Amino acid sequence: MSTLDVIAARRSAARLVGPGPDPVQLGRMLEAAAQAPDHGRCRPWSFTLIPAESAAAFGDVLASAYARRCRETGEPVDPERLAKERAKASRAPVCLVVACRPRLDGRIPVHEQFAAVAAATQNLLLAATACGFGSKWVTGAAATDPAVKRALGLGEHDGVVGFVYLGTVPESARQRPRPSGEASPSVRVWTYAESHPAEPASTDTGGDR
Ligand SMILES: Cc1cc2nc3c(=O)[nH]c(=O)nc-3n(C[C@H](O)[C@H](O)[C@H](O)COP(=O)(O)O)c2cc1C
């Protein structure tokens, strides 16, 4: 597939089954992720694999974070949602947490470092597509939950850019066609005149002088 074909073929997969990428394939995908544009070579990304043997424990972290958020907001705990949180890390063969750990020396703005990590995440998804795997990038309330961040070893200024799921798209899942026009954004052409509108004609009659 050409690069453009890979970009056009990438979709968020609703369901991912085995097999997932093996360690060599995953390594290549992460190398592709780390080729992202990165102003100042900050290397702000961090990738954390939630291995199958830790998926239940990470699910517990997500579930108790959800329950705590409910207590804080006074919302009743939805048992279905609780079970969904608990099962999240096991819903695909590979669950990766992509985070930004920005350098705070002021040299490169923090928002640019988050942009670099978003670019790395997209590289990861495209590399997965190129290797024949499906992917899904999600965030949700867990991404900004302080207890989830703590469990991942992230600090106050760090942020989860996405939970990335990788695996095989089941045969039965049809490729969702893009709504027409979605992949062809309109482009506005800037002109100098637009930013310098003509001065309105003067209505000053000079009567007060
Ligand atoms: C920063 C970010 C966060 C996202 N979070 C979620 C999410 O929480 N849940 C979800 O279903 N999709 C999430 N997505 C995936 C997009 O919504 C998805 O790409 C969109 O549905 C378009 O589908 P496509 O990827 O097949 O083009 C996220 C994407 C990005 C870039």
Side-chain angles (χ1 to χ4, degrees):
M1 274 203 278
S2 74
T3 306
L4 292 180
D5 289 339
V6 170
I7 292 169
R10 187 210 56 80
R11 291 285 186 289
S12 296
R15 205 160 76 83
L16 290 165
V17 296
D22 64 30
V24 173
Q25 289 170 315
L26 189 57
R28 290 190 66 196
M29 290 174 199
L30 292 171
E31 273 172 30
Q35 308 292 322
D38 169 23
H39 189 183
R41 297 190 59 77
C42 296
R43 322 308 281 169
W45 37 73
S46 95
F47 303 97
T48 304
L49 176 70
I50 311 294
E53 61 270 24
S54 304
F58 191 66
D60 284 343
V61 170
L62 297 179
S64 41
Y66 162 65
R68 195 212 65 249
R69 290 196 300 276
C70 288
R71 278 198 304 279
E72 284 171 2
T73 58
E75 211 184 293
V77 173
D78 172 359
E80 236 176 75
R81 169 84 192 271
L82 193 68
K84 215 172 148 190
E85 294 292 329
R86 193 159 275 132
K88 259 184 184 169
S90 331
R91 72 181 184 193
V94 168
C95 172
L96 273 175
V97 185
V98 184
C100 179
R101 312 190 78 153
R103 289 194 185 188
L104 300 171
D105 55 15
R107 203 169 49 90
I108 304 295
V110 166
H111 74 270
E112 292 193 11
Q113 299 185 54
F114 273 83
V117 179
T121 309
Q122 174 70 350
N123 273 6
L124 176 64
L125 303 187
L126 294 177
T129 308
C131 295
F133 292 102
S135 62
K136 188 165 173 105
W137 174 354
V138 303
T139 46
T144 48
D145 190 290
V148 176
K149 284 176 60 180
R150 259 196 315 277
L152 289 164
L154 299 174
E156 184 193 346
H157 301 284
D158 305 334
V160 172
V161 170
F163 300 97
V164 172
Y165 296 97
L166 302 171
T168 297
V169 179
E171 276 298 320
S172 54
R174 275 189 306 126
Q175 200 188 51
R176 183 163 36 92
R178 296 233 173 255
S180 65
E182 193 183 83
S184 316
S186 63
V187 178
R188 203 166 62 86
V189 179
W190 181 85
T191 60
Y192 180 79
E194 185 180 324
S195 64
H196 292 79
E199 292 285 320
S202 173
T203 51
D204 182 359
T205 56
D208 286 345
R209 278 186 217 129

